Amino acid sequence: MSNLLKKYFENFKSCVVALSGGRDSAAVLKLAVEYLGEENVVAATCVNPNVFLYEINNAFNIAKFFNVSWIPFYVDFSEEFLNNPKDKCYYCKKGVLNKLVEIKDYIGADVVFDGTNVDDLDDYRPGLKALEELNVKSPLLENSLGKSFAKNETKILENIAGIYFTVESCAATRIMEDKITLEKLRVVERVEDELRFKYPTIRVRLYSSKIVVEFKKAPIDFSFNDKDYVTSVIKKYLKVNEINFNL
């Protein structure tokens, strides 16, 4: 595999890595530094309010660990995204990638890399269309590598740098009905910040008249006491009568 990756990265001299703060893009950053050299790699992170703050902090610390320049940036939310259609991830991703391409062109880098991998193809991901439109490269996907590879590559970040990874998607994916607003994004962040480390893959989804609690990976033991605790945290921030648990 190392020979295949070496050959792949030989096509580029410099890059901007779309560093989300998650495991997959961290693995891509590690590979880019190994094969291109830290002086030829820049990491850039969207810091809009739909990105969880702990992931932004992760991104800063990951870039610092690999000794690469880190560029935080904002993107103006499009009306299409704020209207909360089914394919909102496409509009969000396109805005973010457009900004990354601007950064690439400004600093004179060859390419933008992101952390998309083969396992992502198993999910509904409308944002993948934006990668093709903007010619963003995905080293993991293009080398048939998935999340197990990314996990192995990023163990050093957990063991030495103390980086905490979980399976994450942006806060806007929690808003299931009605428009996306800054207030809703902030509420989602506050609620999940209190619950994430006890329940690592929790998703608190907002509907017009109810809350649905789900997990990307269901906890092995989730008791009535856990339900009561999660409910109490949600009610600290939201006035809601109906809270359903989808385990």
Side-chain angles (χ1 to χ4, degrees), residues 7-209:
K7 187 174 181 179
Y8 176 84
F9 281 98
E10 283 176 351
N11 293 302
F12 314 100
K13 293 182 178 179
S14 58
C15 70
V16 174
V17 175
L19 185 63
S20 67
R23 191 184 295 277
D24 301 333
S25 61
V28 171
L29 182 65
K30 179 176 181 288
L31 293 174
V33 168
E34 287 177 3
Y35 290 104
L36 301 182
E38 65 187 41
E39 69 279 6
N40 297 311
V41 178
V42 169
T45 303
C46 179
V47 295
N48 278 32
N50 60 312
V51 183
F52 289 109
L53 182 58
Y54 90 94
E55 285 200 297
I56 296 171
N57 291 335
N58 266 9
F60 170 80
N61 289 318
I62 292 165
K64 183 178 180 181
F65 181 84
F66 289 117
N67 197 33
V68 300
S69 298
W70 181 66
I71 301 175
F73 64 90
Y74 285 95
V75 174
D76 290 332
F77 287 134
S78 69
E79 281 301 315
E80 292 94 341
F81 170 73
L82 294 174
N83 284 334
N84 203 14
K86 184 179 180 182
D87 60 348
K88 60 191 169 192
C89 294
Y90 165 74
Y91 296 106
C92 176
K93 192 85 167 181
K94 187 172 183 179
V96 171
L97 294 180
N98 266 318
K99 188 67 175 181
L100 286 162
V101 170
E102 287 180 17
I103 293 169
K104 171 189 75 77
D105 291 343
Y106 180 78
I107 67 175
D110 288 346
V111 66
V112 175
F113 289 140
D114 91 319
T116 303
N117 61 81
V118 292
D119 293 317
D120 292 330
L121 302 182
D122 296 334
D123 296 330
Y124 172 67
R125 291 182 179 257
L128 295 180
K129 179 183 174 184
L131 297 174
E132 298 176 8
E133 293 175 348
L134 294 165
N135 197 31
V136 171
K137 301 297 183 183
S138 304
L140 300 181
L141 178 61
E142 293 172 41
N143 288 279
S144 301
L145 298 171
K147 294 189 181 298
S148 61
F149 175 87
K151 183 175 183 179
N152 187 62
E153 287 293 302
T154 54
K155 283 181 180 177
I156 188 173
L157 290 166
E158 294 176 302
N159 296 337
I160 297 178
I163 303 293
Y164 173 81
F165 292 111
T166 185
V167 182
E168 201 57 88
S169 53
C170 93
T173 64
R174 313 301 201 260
I175 302 171
M176 309 306 294
E177 295 175 342
D178 305 323
K179 282 197 168 190
I180 296 169
T181 66
L182 181 58
E183 180 183 7
K184 291 175 185 176
L185 293 172
R186 285 176 172 167
V187 166
V188 168
E189 171 125 44
R190 290 186 187 115
V191 171
E192 292 198 10
D193 272 355
E194 284 206 32
L195 298 170
R196 182 177 298 110
F197 294 99
K198 187 174 177 65
Y199 311 104
T201 65
I202 196 166
R203 275 91 169 104
V204 178
R205 304 199 185 276
L206 279 59
Y207 290 80
S208 298
S209 58

